[in-house]
Amino acid sequence: MATGNAHKAAEVAQLLDGILEIQTLKDIGCTTDIPETGNTFEANAMQKAVYVFENFNKDCFADDSGLVVDALDGAPGIYSARFAGEPKSDAANNEKLLQLLANESNRKAKFVCVIALIFKGEKHLFEGEVQGTIRNSLSGREGFGYDPLFQPDGYAITFAEMDPAEKNAISHRGRAVAKLIEFLKDELK
Ligand code: ITT
């Protein structure tokens, strides 16, 4: 998995449930912060996967994901990781989001995850989304990123208040990985 984000890798490993054992960038000795210069989740996910395929000659997949906020015209979107600038900071990102939405009554948002897979030399994309709202203050200690502010529709708690399996069952990443597993099960049988 072409990621340097240990939280993403842990969620995906739990979802794969032993079907596949994943190696991350760290495991293959890749220390590059792979460039993400695309304008879409799809382009950036594929850019990460292609980088590993071309430089390490390994089939792989990458996750590009982010938070899309209605009242901010879709921001932070593909810029979610560095919303508040460098260095990447979840706390600073959440603080910035709360400030920008301080006087906003429309709190609607969604998480998006696109997984780009290179398998047997072919490219594939799998997508997952989850709708929700942005809370007025942080709640919970599980997860990562914007989880303490994101309350998925149909729940009274944030992603950061859910145990990892509960988040995985409904999350953008969980949904994208379910499609990846479906594809791989078919290919590998
Ligand atoms: P890699 O590119 O190395 O995989 P990254 O964290 O930089 O790691 P992205 O460029 O895809 O990954 O940015 C994703 C950001 O979107 C992430 O840093 C969080 O801020 C946010 N995000 C994505 N999925 C999330 C989730 O499940 N919960 C909370 N925040 C999430």
Side-chain angles (χ1 to χ4, degrees), residues 16-102:
L16 288 171
D17 195 24
I19 296 170
L20 284 181
E21 206 177 293
I22 53 172
Q23 292 184 303
T24 62
L25 294 176
K26 200 172 156 205
D27 296 321
I28 62 166
C30 177
T31 51
T32 321
D33 195 6
I34 303 172
E36 295 177 44
T37 55
N39 292 322
T40 60
F41 291 112
E42 285 81 0
N44 286 333
M46 196 54 79
Q47 195 172 3
K48 290 184 265 193
V50 166
Y51 182 93
V52 170
F53 184 68
E54 288 180 348
N55 290 279
F56 292 85
N57 197 27
K58 286 180 188 297
D59 282 345
C60 72
F61 64 90
D63 160 319
D64 201 62
S65 45
L67 183 69
V68 173
V69 179
D70 253 33
L72 303 179
D73 294 326
I78 60 167
Y79 304 108
S80 292
R82 294 176 173 81
F83 191 35
E86 297 282 0
K88 288 185 208 177
S89 159
D90 289 346
N93 289 341
N94 282 319
E95 187 55 36
K96 180 171 178 179
L97 182 60
L98 282 177
Q99 275 173 17
L100 289 174
L101 293 181

Side-chain angles (χ1 to χ4, degrees), residues 43-169:
N44 286 333
M46 196 54 79
Q47 195 172 3
K48 290 184 265 193
V50 166
Y51 182 93
V52 170
F53 184 68
E54 288 180 348
N55 290 279
F56 292 85
N57 197 27
K58 286 180 188 297
D59 282 345
C60 72
F61 64 90
D63 160 319
D64 201 62
S65 45
L67 183 69
V68 173
V69 179
D70 253 33
L72 303 179
D73 294 326
I78 60 167
Y79 304 108
S80 292
R82 294 176 173 81
F83 191 35
E86 297 282 0
K88 288 185 208 177
S89 159
D90 289 346
N93 289 341
N94 282 319
E95 187 55 36
K96 180 171 178 179
L97 182 60
L98 282 177
Q99 275 173 17
L100 289 174
L101 293 181
N103 298 312
E104 183 55 64
S105 56
N106 175 9
R107 316 287 298 188
K108 279 174 61 145
K110 64 179 175 181
F111 270 125
V112 177
C113 174
V114 173
I115 290 179
L117 169 73
I118 304 187
F119 186 73
K120 297 182 181 166
E122 306 242 323
K123 295 175 179 172
H124 305 270
L125 290 168
F126 308 94
E127 204 250 353
E129 290 187 2
V130 56
Q131 303 281 342
T133 52
I134 302 301
R135 287 273 194 93
N136 289 308
S137 59
L138 301 157
S139 218
R141 297 179 154 272
E142 297 287 340
F144 69 101
Y146 300 91
D147 282 347
L149 289 179
F150 186 83
Q151 179 176 305
D153 286 353
Y155 291 78
I157 56 175
T158 68
F159 267 172
E161 293 174 296
M162 293 184 175
D163 73 48
E166 197 177 2
K167 176 185 170 188
N168 265 342

